[in-house]
Amino acid sequence: FLKSARVVGDVIGKYHPHGDSAVYGTIVRMAQEFSLRYPLVDGQGNFGSIDGDSAAAMRYTEIRMKKLSEEMLQDLDKETVDWQPNYDDSLSEPKVLPTKIPNLLINGSAGIAVGMATNIPPHNITEILNGLIALLDRPEITIEELMKIIPGPDFPTRGTIYGTEGIKSAYMTGKGVIKVRGKTDVESHGKDRERIVIYELPYQVNKAKLIEKIAELVNSKVMTGISDIRDESNKEGIRVAIDLKKGEIPSVIINQLYKATQLQTSFGIIFLSILNGTPRVLNIKDQLQAFLDHRREIVVRRTIFELKKAKERAHILEGLKISVENIDEIVSLIKNSEGPSQAKEKLINRFSLSKIQAQAILDMRLQRLTGLERDKIIKDYEEILQLIKELEELLAHDEKIKNVVKEEMNEIQEKYSDKRRTAIVAMSDEIQIEDLIKEEEQIVTITHKGYIKRMAIDTYKTQKRGGTGVKGANSKDDDFYNDIFTANTHSTILFFTNKGIVFSLRVYNLPEGARTSRGRNLVNLLPIPAGQKIKEIMCISNI
């Protein structure tokens, strides 16, 4: 590990002369498991949280590269990519990296430029590599077939993608919008109460701000069914507990959370990438093809570099082979020379050697004249000739280049393969609350003081002879019933004020009460202006 401040200083001084906060902010993001699907930096210290807490100052934190990052730098020293001068011409820097991993797709990217924007979501490395291999084997593969291998984005914070139309649009055209929802569960607690638990969030949603928003909606009485909200998250994972009031329907509250908070977000996908120096919006197949072309180029350039080095080595070994085969004559020739330059000249003339070969013989240590060392020189020469033959064959056959690219992808998959985190539900239409509510008859009561409630129709049963009756609501402060009627849970009740304003409530949104409970006052359910009163009530069935 190195101090983050040291790395930031090196980056600013050598390659990127901008603000240290921008550089350190990038390092922090690359170390956050909730920001990158596959973090590239291994951080030691406080690197922030999903609640929006900022990282510790760079003088306190330490970093090093993840193993995955090293795959992006493999073969950088083998002339695989073009280099350019840095900002002050004091150093050289690569124009691109010879990466073995498709980082743009697996970790995504977001940015805004002059008249352009990109927003590429993260994906699963296993699915992307399988897609690349499929495209390598079958260049004619369709996007629909690729979507069976790569079903959609895969976010680090998990969640659920609702609907496949947005994914299909993005993969076909390069642009699309997807809905991402957090995952919830319903638990029972107490005698007859329920609790909603949020344990996964949509990508890039701040947990603390989400909780603040829910609390704000409760305090402003926009959401009236919540009695308490707590953040019970720990190192095991996210857990936000939302306690519901008695009689509330969890599915209705969850749907309200989707509508009013960031428990459901929209992610706009734009596959804008720089391809050969030009910004272009690419579909998923074009993105994969661009990476395959890059890998092919890297393999070819690496092979050319290795072939050049192998030929240089073979040239020297050929000279050493000649020397060990004529060792006595060469020793005598060197002994009888006045100086190194004369010895070099004599070697070149006598054995038709190049200057490089002659110098290698002169530089050779005496221990290489032993029998074992002589055999090793001959063996090395034969092996290097075999390597040259293999490298030349590789360059001559495109199919062999393709196989090397494929083998390297399989190696990456073996090292870093993991399972998908984000679920995809093939449902694009919004869930309607009505679909979650069972249709049944309810008894609705409204008192003179404005208290309203609903009860199941079997609360009061028809009694036979000798029945003693069932106790109803307790009267309080001279309050009495103004209206008692039956209505379907899907019916709508209209409330008319004395000033002519009309409010509406669906029956399933009314508080469910017991026989003896008063219910809830209408002023807590409807935004009735000051000085106005409800004068008339009408129940209508939805057509």
Side-chain angles (χ1 to χ4, degrees):
F1 285 95
L2 293 174
K3 278 289 182 188
S4 299
R6 176 178 170 179
V7 178
V8 170
D10 283 347
V11 170
I12 292 171
K14 293 179 178 178
Y15 305 110
H16 189 75
H18 295 287
D20 61 336
S21 60
V23 178
Y24 184 51
T26 303
I27 289 172
V28 167
R29 186 173 180 275
M30 288 196 292
Q32 292 173 335
E33 291 191 350
F34 53 87
S35 291
L36 261 65
R37 179 65 178 82
Y38 300 93
L40 302 173
V41 168
D42 190 3
Q44 199 164 258
N46 174 17
F47 280 85
S49 73
I50 201 168
D51 288 324
D53 301 320
S54 57
M58 58 185 172
R59 62 183 178 273
Y60 299 122
T61 60
E62 296 179 344
I63 57 168
R64 66 181 178 186
M65 285 199 304
K66 289 264 193 184
K67 285 189 176 180
L68 185 71
S69 308
E70 294 174 12
E71 304 292 352
M72 300 177 73
L73 304 174
Q74 283 285 331
D75 305 321
L76 189 60
D77 56 344
K78 294 183 178 179
E79 297 177 4
T80 48
V81 294
D82 295 330
W83 292 68
Q84 63 187 13
N86 69 337
Y87 68 95
D88 64 355
D89 268 357
S90 63
L91 293 166
S92 293
E93 60 187 19
K95 290 184 177 180
V96 293
L97 295 178
T99 177
K100 286 185 175 182
I101 61 165
N103 187 59
L104 186 63
L105 283 172
I106 66 170
N107 273 325
S109 181
I112 301 172
V114 182
M116 293 178 289
T118 186
N119 202 26
I120 300 173
H123 290 78
N124 182 275
I125 191 169
T126 308
E127 293 171 357
I128 292 295
L129 289 172
N130 285 337
L132 286 164
I133 291 168
L135 180 59
L136 196 62
D137 291 337
R138 293 177 51 217
E140 74 284 356
I141 192 171
T142 64
I143 293 176
E144 287 87 350
E145 288 173 316
L146 280 171
M147 282 187 68
K148 293 176 182 176
I149 303 168
I150 309 168
D154 189 25
F155 298 109
T157 53
R158 304 178 185 275
T160 303
I161 297 172
Y162 268 75
T164 56
E165 284 303 312
I167 300 171
K168 188 175 181 181
S169 171
Y171 285 3
M172 297 287 281
T173 67
K175 292 184 179 181
V177 179
I178 59 174
K179 283 183 180 178
V180 187
R181 288 179 172 178
K183 280 191 180 177
T184 59
D185 198 4
V186 178
E187 298 177 353
S188 297
H189 75 102
K191 190 177 178 182
D192 52 359
R193 291 178 182 267
E194 291 183 296
R195 174 188 295 142
I196 297 168
V197 177
I198 301 169
Y199 59 95
E200 288 180 17
L201 294 177
Y203 185 48
Q204 294 176 328
V205 167
N206 183 312
K207 175 162 63 69
K209 287 186 177 178
L210 173 67
I211 293 170
E212 283 176 21
K213 178 64 177 177
I214 297 171
E216 181 187 313
L217 292 171
V218 173
N219 291 334
S220 61
K221 294 187 169 57
V222 174
M223 295 184 69
T224 58
I226 296 173
S227 63
D228 189 24
I229 178 169
R230 298 178 308 284
D231 186 359
E232 299 175 351
S233 305
N234 54 30
K235 63 181 181 180
E236 302 297 325
I238 292 169
R239 180 181 166 88
V240 178
I242 301 171
D243 291 345
L244 304 185
K245 292 179 179 176
K246 189 175 178 181
E248 293 293 339
I249 302 170
S251 54
V252 173
I253 303 296
I254 290 169
N255 209 62
Q256 289 174 344
L257 290 171
Y258 287 149
K259 281 187 174 182
T261 73
Q262 282 197 303
L263 194 59
Q264 174 178 289
T265 61
S266 292
F267 189 98
I269 299 173
I270 308 171
F271 281 117
L272 180 79
S273 308
I274 306 291
L275 184 61
N276 300 323
T278 306
R280 284 181 53 194
V281 176
L282 307 173
N283 60 39
I284 190 68
K285 186 176 179 180
D286 292 338
Q287 288 271 2
L288 298 174
Q289 188 61 55
F291 183 74
L292 286 179
D293 294 343
H294 175 66
R295 283 308 304 162
R296 268 202 184 98
E297 183 185 352
I298 297 301
V299 171
V300 168
R301 291 181 66 160
R302 182 183 68 201
T303 307
I304 291 170
F305 174 84
E306 289 174 347
L307 180 61
K308 184 178 78 171
K309 290 293 181 184
K311 285 182 175 178
E312 289 172 0
R313 178 69 180 149
H315 184 62
I316 291 171
L317 286 171
E318 187 180 4
L320 296 178
K321 181 173 175 286
I322 291 170
S323 72
V324 297
E325 288 171 349
N326 303 275
I327 191 63
D328 294 334
E329 185 179 350
I330 285 175
V331 169
S332 176
L333 186 148
I334 293 171
K335 282 172 67 178
N336 295 325
S337 300
E338 292 181 1
S341 56
Q342 189 185 38
K344 191 174 183 179
E345 196 68 34
K346 284 182 178 180
L347 285 170
I348 291 169
N349 294 333
R350 171 67 184 85
F351 296 103
S352 302
L353 301 173
S354 68
K355 288 182 180 180
I356 294 171
Q357 288 174 323
Q359 188 61 48
I361 291 170
L362 290 172
D363 291 341
M364 186 171 63
R365 297 173 68 179
L366 288 174
Q367 72 178 28
R368 304 209 70 178
L369 301 178
T370 62
L372 284 174
E373 284 294 320
R374 292 203 303 271
D375 292 343
K376 188 174 184 301
I377 288 170
I378 294 167
K379 185 182 177 185
D380 287 349
Y381 180 62
E382 290 170 353
E383 286 177 355
I384 206 80
L385 289 179
Q386 181 61 31
L387 177 62
I388 289 169
K389 183 182 176 184
E390 289 171 4
L391 292 172
E392 286 176 340
E393 280 185 8
L394 182 60
L395 287 172
H397 298 90
D398 186 60
E399 192 65 27
K400 290 191 175 182
I401 294 285
K402 189 174 85 170
N403 288 336
V404 171
V405 172
K406 191 173 178 180
E407 283 170 18
E408 290 181 352
M409 285 181 183
N410 284 325
E411 286 172 13
I412 294 293
Q413 200 167 35
E414 285 175 19
K415 287 184 189 175
Y416 306 106
S417 177
D418 69 351
K419 292 181 180 178
R420 161 172 282 277
R421 294 183 185 177
T422 303
I424 298 174
V425 177
M427 185 181 73
S428 57
D429 295 327
E430 184 182 351
I431 290 180
Q432 299 296 321
I433 296 178
E434 289 83 355
D435 298 335
L436 304 172
I437 306 298
K438 182 182 177 182
E439 286 200 41
E440 55 186 359
E441 293 298 310
Q442 301 271 291
I443 297 173
V444 179
T445 65
I446 304 167
T447 71
H448 177 67
K449 297 274 188 180
Y451 287 92
I452 189 169
K453 68 177 178 180
R454 65 184 172 93
M455 298 174 286
I457 203 160
D458 59 3
T459 304
Y460 296 98
K461 297 178 182 177
T462 305
Q463 295 191 23
K464 296 183 180 178
R465 258 173 133 177
T468 56
V470 175
K471 186 179 180 182
N474 293 322
S475 59
K476 192 173 183 182
D477 299 328
D478 299 324
D479 200 6
F480 53 89
Y481 287 125
N482 268 358
D483 288 279
I484 300 176
F485 56 88
T486 61
N488 190 283
T489 46
H490 285 219
S491 296
T492 302
I493 301 176
L494 302 178
F495 301 86
F496 297 84
T497 72
N498 57 335
K499 297 288 186 180
I501 296 175
V502 184
F503 298 99
S504 68
L505 269 179
R506 303 298 285 272
V507 170
Y508 57 73
N509 278 328
L510 297 178
E512 192 170 11
R515 289 193 311 268
T516 56
S517 64
R518 298 174 71 196
R520 196 176 300 166
N521 202 296
L522 283 170
V523 294
N524 295 322
L525 297 174
L526 302 172
I528 303 170
Q532 294 192 36
K533 293 182 179 180
I534 300 295
K535 298 298 288 183
E536 291 293 337
I537 294 167
M538 181 186 296
C539 180
I540 58 173
S541 297
N542 290 328
I543 301 172

